[in-house]
Amino acid sequence: MVRLWWYLAAVAATAANEYNIDVEKLAARVRELEAVVSHAGSATIQEIVQEVPADVVSSQKKAASNSGSRRSLGEIDVESVNMGNPQDLGAARRTSFHYHSMRHRIMKERQERRYSQGRRLDEAVSFDEFCWSLDNVWVVVAGLICFFLQGGFAMLESGGCRAKNAKNILLKNLMDACVGGLVYYVFGWGLAHGGETTNEKGAPDGKTFLGDGQFMLLPHRNIEAYGYHLFFFNYVFAATIATIVSGAVAERIQFRAYMIYSVILTGFVYPICSHWIWSPDGFLYRAGVVDFAGGGAVHALSGVAALMGAMALGPREGYFGDDGKVKGIKAHDMALMAIGLFIFWFGFIPFNSGSGLSMCGYFAANLTSRIAVITTIGGCSGGIVSLLWGVVVEGYSSLEYALVGTLAGMVAVCSCCAVVDVWAIFWIISPLGVASYWACEWARKKCMIDDPLGASSLHFGPGAVGMIAVGFFASPRFISDVYLNGWDGAKDRCADMDGLTEVPDGDENVEGDFIFYKYRKNDGCRDFYGIFFGGSGKQLGWQIVALGLFTIWGVVTCFFIFYPMKWLGILRVSLEDERVGIDIVHHGGPCYEWYSPVSALPEAHVEKALPVPETVEDENKENEDEP
């Protein structure tokens, strides 16, 4: 009963605002719909719309057909009605990329019709147009905050390494943003989302391995149909990949080698991988794999790339002792690292919550805010668990342990944040992410691989935990809302918004027509649920397959990126340059004026390392002392 009246309220509001319906006249006929109330449990919104008496809108049809800018109530787009309905599970579709892009294409066509008919820009807009604008603004703002992650990377990495290489690290982070933007504009976007098409049923029908259009954002009409905001948000993700790897290859990679791998990783390796999982045409998307904010496509992939780069480069001088045990190299500025961590935390929240691509409507707004809470709770849990582990291992409260734990806790959230409960994140998933980080660190050191920032362990381990956690903890309510309900043949059959955690009696073995999940079209609802919530285990299998593909793709492609440069002798700086510091030898001087380790320098570089006079008087005094 309550649900039906929500539908009626939505119909009335939409009719009043968009279709010029006389609300009073419509209200007078509401009681005629009481017959519909009797079968509310099985009625759909389409059926309710069809029950509205024709004479309520008969006077509007002629005006609508003459203006060309309005539709009759009989032609009401059900999506626009559902969008404002907090009980309607169909609104969940607005959180997926393919529906978002399809709605944008429709809105673009409507805008073109508006302007071709001479309608002024200051005229009142429809609810759909308002949602289009709201989603654009939200995604751009989320992307802007995520872009500031580059500042967090710069501070965390430069503070975590030695002062003699700080300028080199800062320059590399700047070039990640610059070069990443260029190559993603020329190649990346086209490989990730170009050439997406649909068949006569509206299902994706493009290439499953990589995109093949919209390079350099051409033609403009196509990218405008998607929305420039989606390009911007995806570019920020792509630039993050190269920056993550930067921490693993710090203090010993040549700058030209860094530029080469940054171009290939941002322009080719990552976009193809993202096509698999986030393009409606991608084969992992069609298989129903859940990687909501990139725990696999971003973090696991970049962790593998970081490991391959560190292996190809070899350890820094002095990191391992003659006995093979870790001697370690201390960070030069923990304060800088701590500030970088808070920037990370600030950026991680829209990194995850912005991946829904929408804020319009009850469901989208609620999903976005819930993911923000989950991301924050994940960081809290990870920081506390790692701090306690540091007390056990080191015997004191360690800032270093707390920093990496907080990051690991948030990385573990990325894949599963939209489909799991908050309690699962705090008590299980984020702590397991921290444990996976320390396990990977132990294995890395045993293999004598030097990763100055622990980037490979920090991103691959927790990222893998988040991917696999979907197979165990995916709640029927959340995975149905975000990924299943509303598809043709599966409408509201899976768990509903009222908190049901089981498929209604008699539907356990019903096959669904999940037209967007081509490889799962004969699966039932339970095949998408986590094992701990009654799932069949199929979703866990697909999650593991996807994680394995991300890993293999990263290993193979990055092997052919780093090792040919090693064989050509252009990957690593010389031992002399490493001892002196890359800043002094390759970038015109140290980052800090107080840093000048003259005693450690060969004679050829002593002059560059001499301290700069702080005042004019000091410089004059030095000149007077000269013979």
Side-chain angles (χ1 to χ4, degrees), residues 293-339:
V298 175
H299 293 287
L301 177 65
S302 61
V304 171
L307 183 66
M308 295 301 296
M311 289 174 61
L313 281 164
R316 294 167 293 174
E317 184 184 30
Y319 185 78
F320 292 104
D322 296 334
D323 58 355
K325 294 184 178 180
V326 177
K327 294 172 62 178
I329 297 175
K330 294 292 185 180
H332 89 274
D333 194 337
M334 288 302 302
L336 205 60
M337 293 185 70
I339 297 173

Short mmCIF file of all heavy atoms in Angstrom, two decimals, residues 293-339:
data_model
loop_
_atom_site.label_atom_id
_atom_site.label_comp_id
_atom_site.label_asym_id
_atom_site.label_seq_id
_atom_site.Cartn_x
_atom_site.Cartn_y
_atom_site.Cartn_z
N ALA A 293 34.99 0.52 -7.58
CA ALA A 293 35.87 1.70 -7.61
C ALA A 293 37.32 1.33 -7.87
O ALA A 293 38.22 2.09 -7.51
CB ALA A 293 35.75 2.48 -6.30
N GLY A 294 37.57 0.17 -8.48
CA GLY A 294 38.90 -0.10 -8.97
C GLY A 294 39.85 -0.82 -8.05
O GLY A 294 41.07 -0.67 -8.19
N GLY A 295 39.36 -1.63 -7.12
CA GLY A 295 40.27 -2.41 -6.30
C GLY A 295 41.10 -3.37 -7.13
O GLY A 295 42.24 -3.69 -6.78
N GLY A 296 40.52 -3.85 -8.25
CA GLY A 296 41.26 -4.73 -9.14
C GLY A 296 41.89 -3.99 -10.30
O GLY A 296 43.09 -4.08 -10.55
N ALA A 297 41.06 -3.22 -11.05
CA ALA A 297 41.52 -2.57 -12.27
C ALA A 297 42.51 -1.44 -11.99
O ALA A 297 43.33 -1.10 -12.85
CB ALA A 297 40.33 -2.02 -13.05
N VAL A 298 42.46 -0.83 -10.81
CA VAL A 298 43.39 0.24 -10.46
C VAL A 298 44.46 -0.27 -9.49
O VAL A 298 45.66 -0.25 -9.80
CB VAL A 298 42.64 1.44 -9.84
CG1 VAL A 298 43.64 2.50 -9.36
CG2 VAL A 298 41.68 2.05 -10.84
N HIS A 299 44.04 -0.75 -8.34
CA HIS A 299 45.01 -1.05 -7.28
C HIS A 299 45.76 -2.36 -7.50
O HIS A 299 46.99 -2.38 -7.40
CB HIS A 299 44.30 -1.05 -5.93
CG HIS A 299 43.79 0.29 -5.53
ND1 HIS A 299 44.62 1.31 -5.12
CD2 HIS A 299 42.54 0.81 -5.52
CE1 HIS A 299 43.91 2.38 -4.85
NE2 HIS A 299 42.64 2.11 -5.09
N ALA A 300 45.06 -3.44 -7.78
CA ALA A 300 45.76 -4.70 -8.02
C ALA A 300 46.66 -4.60 -9.24
O ALA A 300 47.82 -5.07 -9.23
CB ALA A 300 44.76 -5.84 -8.17
N LEU A 301 46.18 -3.98 -10.30
CA LEU A 301 46.98 -3.81 -11.51
C LEU A 301 48.22 -2.96 -11.24
O LEU A 301 49.34 -3.32 -11.64
CB LEU A 301 46.14 -3.18 -12.61
CG LEU A 301 46.87 -2.87 -13.92
CD1 LEU A 301 47.33 -4.14 -14.60
CD2 LEU A 301 45.98 -2.05 -14.86
N SER A 302 48.06 -1.84 -10.56
CA SER A 302 49.20 -0.98 -10.28
C SER A 302 50.16 -1.65 -9.29
O SER A 302 51.37 -1.42 -9.36
CB SER A 302 48.73 0.37 -9.72
OG SER A 302 48.01 0.19 -8.51
N GLY A 303 49.63 -2.47 -8.37
CA GLY A 303 50.52 -3.19 -7.47
C GLY A 303 51.41 -4.16 -8.21
O GLY A 303 52.62 -4.28 -7.92
N VAL A 304 50.85 -4.86 -9.20
CA VAL A 304 51.65 -5.77 -10.03
C VAL A 304 52.68 -4.99 -10.83
O VAL A 304 53.85 -5.39 -10.95
CB VAL A 304 50.73 -6.59 -10.95
CG1 VAL A 304 51.56 -7.38 -11.96
CG2 VAL A 304 49.86 -7.53 -10.14
N ALA A 305 52.26 -3.87 -11.41
CA ALA A 305 53.19 -3.04 -12.18
C ALA A 305 54.32 -2.53 -11.30
O ALA A 305 55.49 -2.50 -11.73
CB ALA A 305 52.43 -1.86 -12.81
N ALA A 306 54.00 -2.12 -10.07
CA ALA A 306 55.03 -1.66 -9.14
C ALA A 306 56.02 -2.76 -8.82
O ALA A 306 57.24 -2.53 -8.75
CB ALA A 306 54.37 -1.13 -7.87
N LEU A 307 55.52 -3.96 -8.62
CA LEU A 307 56.40 -5.09 -8.30
C LEU A 307 57.32 -5.40 -9.46
O LEU A 307 58.53 -5.65 -9.27
CB LEU A 307 55.55 -6.31 -7.95
CG LEU A 307 56.33 -7.56 -7.52
CD1 LEU A 307 57.04 -7.31 -6.19
CD2 LEU A 307 55.39 -8.76 -7.39
N MET A 308 56.80 -5.40 -10.68
CA MET A 308 57.63 -5.69 -11.86
C MET A 308 58.70 -4.63 -12.04
O MET A 308 59.84 -4.94 -12.38
CB MET A 308 56.75 -5.79 -13.10
CG MET A 308 55.76 -6.94 -13.09
SD MET A 308 56.54 -8.55 -12.93
CE MET A 308 57.50 -8.61 -14.46
N GLY A 309 58.35 -3.36 -11.81
CA GLY A 309 59.34 -2.30 -11.91
C GLY A 309 60.43 -2.42 -10.87
O GLY A 309 61.62 -2.25 -11.16
N ALA A 310 60.05 -2.74 -9.63
CA ALA A 310 61.03 -2.89 -8.56
C ALA A 310 61.94 -4.08 -8.81
O ALA A 310 63.15 -4.02 -8.54
CB ALA A 310 60.31 -3.05 -7.23
N MET A 311 61.39 -5.17 -9.33
CA MET A 311 62.21 -6.35 -9.64
C MET A 311 63.22 -6.05 -10.75
O MET A 311 64.38 -6.46 -10.67
CB MET A 311 61.30 -7.51 -10.06
CG MET A 311 60.48 -8.10 -8.93
SD MET A 311 59.30 -9.36 -9.51
CE MET A 311 60.43 -10.56 -10.23
N ALA A 312 62.78 -5.35 -11.79
CA ALA A 312 63.68 -5.04 -12.90
C ALA A 312 64.79 -4.10 -12.47
O ALA A 312 65.94 -4.24 -12.92
CB ALA A 312 62.88 -4.43 -14.05
N LEU A 313 64.51 -3.17 -11.59
CA LEU A 313 65.50 -2.19 -11.15
C LEU A 313 66.51 -2.78 -10.18
O LEU A 313 67.69 -2.40 -10.18
CB LEU A 313 64.81 -1.00 -10.49
CG LEU A 313 64.20 0.03 -11.43
CD1 LEU A 313 63.22 0.92 -10.68
CD2 LEU A 313 65.29 0.87 -12.08
N GLY A 314 66.08 -3.69 -9.33
CA GLY A 314 66.94 -4.19 -8.27
C GLY A 314 66.92 -3.26 -7.07
O GLY A 314 66.42 -2.14 -7.13
N PRO A 315 67.47 -3.72 -5.94
CA PRO A 315 67.41 -2.92 -4.71
C PRO A 315 68.37 -1.74 -4.72
O PRO A 315 69.37 -1.73 -5.45
CB PRO A 315 67.81 -3.93 -3.63
CG PRO A 315 68.65 -4.93 -4.34
CD PRO A 315 68.10 -5.04 -5.73
N ARG A 316 68.04 -0.74 -3.91
CA ARG A 316 68.95 0.39 -3.71
C ARG A 316 70.20 -0.06 -2.94
O ARG A 316 70.15 -1.03 -2.17
CB ARG A 316 68.25 1.50 -2.93
CG ARG A 316 67.10 2.16 -3.63
CD ARG A 316 66.28 3.00 -2.68
NE ARG A 316 65.59 2.16 -1.69
CZ ARG A 316 64.90 2.63 -0.66
NH1 ARG A 316 64.81 3.94 -0.46
NH2 ARG A 316 64.30 1.80 0.16
N GLU A 317 71.27 0.64 -3.14
CA GLU A 317 72.49 0.32 -2.42
C GLU A 317 72.26 0.54 -0.92
O GLU A 317 71.79 1.58 -0.49
CB GLU A 317 73.64 1.23 -2.89
CG GLU A 317 74.97 0.88 -2.23
CD GLU A 317 76.07 1.84 -2.62
OE1 GLU A 317 75.77 3.02 -2.89
OE2 GLU A 317 77.24 1.42 -2.64
N GLY A 318 72.59 -0.49 -0.15
CA GLY A 318 72.47 -0.39 1.30
C GLY A 318 71.15 -0.83 1.88
O GLY A 318 71.01 -0.88 3.10
N TYR A 319 70.18 -1.18 1.04
CA TYR A 319 68.89 -1.60 1.58
C TYR A 319 68.98 -2.99 2.19
O TYR A 319 68.38 -3.26 3.23
CB TYR A 319 67.82 -1.56 0.49
CG TYR A 319 66.42 -1.87 1.01
CD1 TYR A 319 65.69 -0.90 1.69
CD2 TYR A 319 65.85 -3.13 0.83
CE1 TYR A 319 64.42 -1.17 2.18
CE2 TYR A 319 64.58 -3.41 1.32
CZ TYR A 319 63.88 -2.43 1.99
OH TYR A 319 62.63 -2.71 2.49
N PHE A 320 69.70 -3.88 1.52
CA PHE A 320 69.94 -5.21 2.05
C PHE A 320 71.39 -5.33 2.49
O PHE A 320 72.30 -4.79 1.84
CB PHE A 320 69.63 -6.29 1.00
CG PHE A 320 68.18 -6.42 0.65
CD1 PHE A 320 67.69 -5.90 -0.54
CD2 PHE A 320 67.29 -7.05 1.52
CE1 PHE A 320 66.35 -6.03 -0.87
CE2 PHE A 320 65.96 -7.17 1.19
CZ PHE A 320 65.47 -6.65 0.01
N GLY A 321 71.62 -6.03 3.58
CA GLY A 321 72.97 -6.29 4.04
C GLY A 321 73.61 -7.44 3.27
O GLY A 321 72.97 -8.08 2.43
N ASP A 322 74.87 -7.71 3.58
CA ASP A 322 75.57 -8.80 2.91
C ASP A 322 74.95 -10.16 3.21
O ASP A 322 75.08 -11.10 2.42
CB ASP A 322 77.05 -8.81 3.33
CG ASP A 322 77.79 -7.55 2.89
OD1 ASP A 322 77.35 -6.94 1.89
OD2 ASP A 322 78.78 -7.18 3.54
N ASP A 323 74.28 -10.27 4.33
CA ASP A 323 73.62 -11.52 4.71
C ASP A 323 72.22 -11.65 4.13
O ASP A 323 71.52 -12.63 4.40
CB ASP A 323 73.57 -11.65 6.23
CG ASP A 323 72.83 -10.47 6.88
OD1 ASP A 323 72.45 -9.53 6.15
OD2 ASP A 323 72.66 -10.49 8.12
N GLY A 324 71.81 -10.68 3.34
CA GLY A 324 70.49 -10.72 2.73
C GLY A 324 69.38 -10.18 3.60
O GLY A 324 68.23 -10.12 3.16
N LYS A 325 69.68 -9.78 4.81
CA LYS A 325 68.66 -9.22 5.70
C LYS A 325 68.45 -7.74 5.41
O LYS A 325 69.36 -7.04 4.98
CB LYS A 325 69.07 -9.42 7.15
CG LYS A 325 69.10 -10.89 7.58
CD LYS A 325 69.43 -11.02 9.06
CE LYS A 325 69.40 -12.48 9.50
NZ LYS A 325 69.72 -12.63 10.94
N VAL A 326 67.25 -7.27 5.70
CA VAL A 326 66.90 -5.88 5.42
C VAL A 326 67.56 -4.96 6.44
O VAL A 326 67.38 -5.12 7.65
CB VAL A 326 65.36 -5.69 5.46
CG1 VAL A 326 65.01 -4.22 5.24
CG2 VAL A 326 64.69 -6.56 4.41
N LYS A 327 68.35 -4.02 5.93
CA LYS A 327 68.91 -2.98 6.79
C LYS A 327 67.99 -1.77 6.84
O LYS A 327 67.89 -1.09 7.85
CB LYS A 327 70.29 -2.57 6.27
CG LYS A 327 71.34 -3.68 6.36
CD LYS A 327 72.62 -3.29 5.66
CE LYS A 327 73.27 -2.08 6.28
NZ LYS A 327 74.55 -1.74 5.62
N GLY A 328 67.32 -1.53 5.72
CA GLY A 328 66.36 -0.44 5.65
C GLY A 328 67.01 0.91 5.39
O GLY A 328 68.20 1.11 5.66
N ILE A 329 66.22 1.82 4.83
CA ILE A 329 66.65 3.20 4.60
C ILE A 329 65.55 4.10 5.13
O ILE A 329 64.39 4.00 4.72
CB ILE A 329 66.89 3.46 3.09
CG1 ILE A 329 68.04 2.58 2.58
CG2 ILE A 329 67.21 4.94 2.85
CD1 ILE A 329 68.25 2.68 1.08
N LYS A 330 65.88 4.96 6.04
CA LYS A 330 64.89 5.77 6.75
C LYS A 330 64.30 6.86 5.85
O LYS A 330 64.99 7.41 4.98
CB LYS A 330 65.52 6.42 7.98
CG LYS A 330 65.95 5.43 9.05
CD LYS A 330 64.74 4.77 9.70
CE LYS A 330 65.15 3.87 10.86
NZ LYS A 330 63.98 3.22 11.49
N ALA A 331 63.04 7.15 6.08
CA ALA A 331 62.40 8.30 5.43
C ALA A 331 62.98 9.59 6.00
O ALA A 331 63.38 9.64 7.16
CB ALA A 331 60.89 8.25 5.67
N HIS A 332 63.00 10.64 5.19
CA HIS A 332 63.65 11.87 5.65
C HIS A 332 62.66 12.85 6.28
O HIS A 332 63.07 13.79 6.95
CB HIS A 332 64.39 12.54 4.49
CG HIS A 332 63.56 13.51 3.69
ND1 HIS A 332 62.76 13.12 2.64
CD2 HIS A 332 63.41 14.86 3.78
CE1 HIS A 332 62.15 14.17 2.13
NE2 HIS A 332 62.52 15.24 2.79
N ASP A 333 61.32 12.65 6.08
CA ASP A 333 60.37 13.63 6.62
C ASP A 333 59.03 12.94 6.90
O ASP A 333 58.16 12.86 6.03
CB ASP A 333 60.18 14.78 5.63
CG ASP A 333 59.48 15.98 6.26
OD1 ASP A 333 58.77 15.79 7.27
OD2 ASP A 333 59.63 17.10 5.73
N MET A 334 58.85 12.48 8.13
CA MET A 334 57.61 11.82 8.49
C MET A 334 56.44 12.80 8.56
O MET A 334 55.28 12.42 8.35
CB MET A 334 57.78 11.12 9.83
CG MET A 334 58.66 9.88 9.78
SD MET A 334 58.05 8.64 8.61
CE MET A 334 56.41 8.32 9.22
N ALA A 335 56.72 14.05 8.87
CA ALA A 335 55.64 15.04 8.90
C ALA A 335 55.03 15.21 7.52
O ALA A 335 53.79 15.30 7.37
CB ALA A 335 56.18 16.38 9.41
N LEU A 336 55.87 15.22 6.50
CA LEU A 336 55.39 15.33 5.13
C LEU A 336 54.53 14.12 4.77
O LEU A 336 53.49 14.24 4.10
CB LEU A 336 56.57 15.46 4.17
CG LEU A 336 56.34 16.16 2.83
CD1 LEU A 336 55.87 17.59 3.03
CD2 LEU A 336 57.62 16.12 2.01
N MET A 337 54.95 12.95 5.21
CA MET A 337 54.18 11.73 4.94
C MET A 337 52.81 11.77 5.63
O MET A 337 51.80 11.36 5.04
CB MET A 337 54.96 10.50 5.41
CG MET A 337 56.23 10.23 4.63
SD MET A 337 57.02 8.69 5.16
CE MET A 337 55.85 7.47 4.55
N ALA A 338 52.77 12.26 6.87
CA ALA A 338 51.50 12.31 7.59
C ALA A 338 50.52 13.27 6.92
O ALA A 338 49.32 12.98 6.79
CB ALA A 338 51.74 12.72 9.04
N ILE A 339 51.01 14.42 6.48
CA ILE A 339 50.14 15.37 5.77
C ILE A 339 49.65 14.75 4.46
O ILE A 339 48.48 14.89 4.09
CB ILE A 339 50.89 16.69 5.51
CG1 ILE A 339 51.25 17.36 6.84
CG2 ILE A 339 50.03 17.63 4.67
CD1 ILE A 339 52.13 18.57 6.69
#
